[in-house]
Coordinates of all heavy atoms in Angstrom, one line a residue:
E22 N 119.2 119.6 173.7 CA 117.8 119.8 173.4 C 117.4 119.1 172.1 O 118.0 119.4 171.1 CB 117.5 121.4 173.3 CG 116.1 121.7 173.0 CD 115.9 123.2 172.9 OE1 116.1 123.8 171.8 OE2 115.6 123.8 174.0
L24 N 114.1 118.6 170.9 CA 112.9 119.2 170.3 C 112.3 120.2 171.2 O 112.0 120.0 172.4 CB 111.8 118.0 170.1 CG 110.6 118.4 169.2 CD1 111.0 118.8 167.8 CD2 109.7 117.2 169.2
H25 N 112.1 121.4 170.6 CA 111.5 122.5 171.4 C 110.6 123.3 170.4 O 111.1 123.9 169.5 CB 112.6 123.4 172.0 CG 112.1 124.3 173.1 ND1 111.2 125.3 172.8 CD2 112.3 124.3 174.4 CE1 110.9 125.9 173.9 NE2 111.6 125.3 174.9
P26 N 109.3 123.3 170.7 CA 108.4 124.0 169.8 C 108.7 125.4 169.5 O 108.4 125.9 168.4 CB 107.0 123.9 170.5 CG 107.2 122.7 171.4 CD 108.6 122.7 171.8
A27 N 109.3 126.1 170.4 CA 109.6 127.6 170.2 C 110.8 127.7 169.2 O 110.9 128.8 168.7 CB 110.0 128.2 171.6
H28 N 111.5 126.7 169.0 CA 112.7 126.7 168.1 C 112.5 126.0 166.8 O 113.4 126.0 166.0 CB 113.9 126.2 168.8 CG 114.2 126.9 170.1 ND1 114.6 126.2 171.2 CD2 114.1 128.2 170.5 CE1 114.8 127.0 172.2 NE2 114.4 128.2 171.8
E29 N 111.4 125.3 166.7 CA 111.1 124.5 165.5 C 109.7 124.9 164.9 O 108.7 124.5 165.4 CB 111.1 123.0 165.8 CG 112.3 122.5 166.5 CD 113.5 122.5 165.6 OE1 113.3 122.5 164.4 OE2 114.6 122.4 166.2
P30 N 109.6 125.7 163.9 CA 108.4 126.2 163.4 C 107.4 125.1 163.0 O 106.2 125.2 163.1 CB 108.7 127.0 162.2 CG 110.2 127.3 162.3 CD 110.8 126.3 163.2
C32 N 107.1 122.2 164.4 CA 106.7 121.4 165.6 C 105.5 122.0 166.3 O 105.5 123.2 166.7 CB 107.8 121.3 166.6 SG 107.4 120.4 168.1
N34 N 103.9 120.5 168.9 CA 103.8 119.9 170.3 C 103.7 121.0 171.3 O 104.2 122.1 171.2 CB 105.0 119.0 170.6 CG 105.1 117.8 169.7 OD1 104.2 117.5 168.9 ND2 106.2 117.1 169.8
C36 N 105.0 120.1 174.4 CA 106.1 119.7 175.3 C 107.4 119.9 174.5 O 107.5 120.0 173.3 CB 106.0 118.3 175.7 SG 106.1 117.1 174.4
S37 N 108.5 120.0 175.4 CA 109.8 120.0 174.8 C 110.5 118.7 175.3 O 110.1 118.1 176.3 CB 110.6 121.2 175.3 OG 110.7 121.2 176.7
M112 N 106.2 123.3 177.3 CA 107.6 123.3 176.9 C 108.4 124.1 177.9 O 107.9 125.1 178.5 CB 107.8 123.9 175.5 CG 107.5 125.4 175.4 SD 107.6 126.1 173.8 CE 105.9 126.1 173.3
W113 N 109.7 123.7 178.1 CA 110.6 124.3 179.0 C 110.8 125.8 178.6 O 110.9 126.1 177.4 CB 111.9 123.6 179.0 CG 113.0 124.2 179.9 CD1 113.1 124.0 181.2 CD2 114.0 125.2 179.6 NE1 114.2 124.7 181.7 CE2 114.7 125.5 180.7 CE3 114.3 125.8 178.4 CZ2 115.7 126.4 180.7 CZ3 115.3 126.7 178.4 CH2 116.0 127.0 179.5

Side-chain angles (χ1 to χ4, degrees):
E22 183 178 87
L24 188 64
H25 196 293
H28 306 139
E29 306 290 343
C32 179
N34 295 352
C36 65
S37 58
M112 72 184 98
W113 179 87

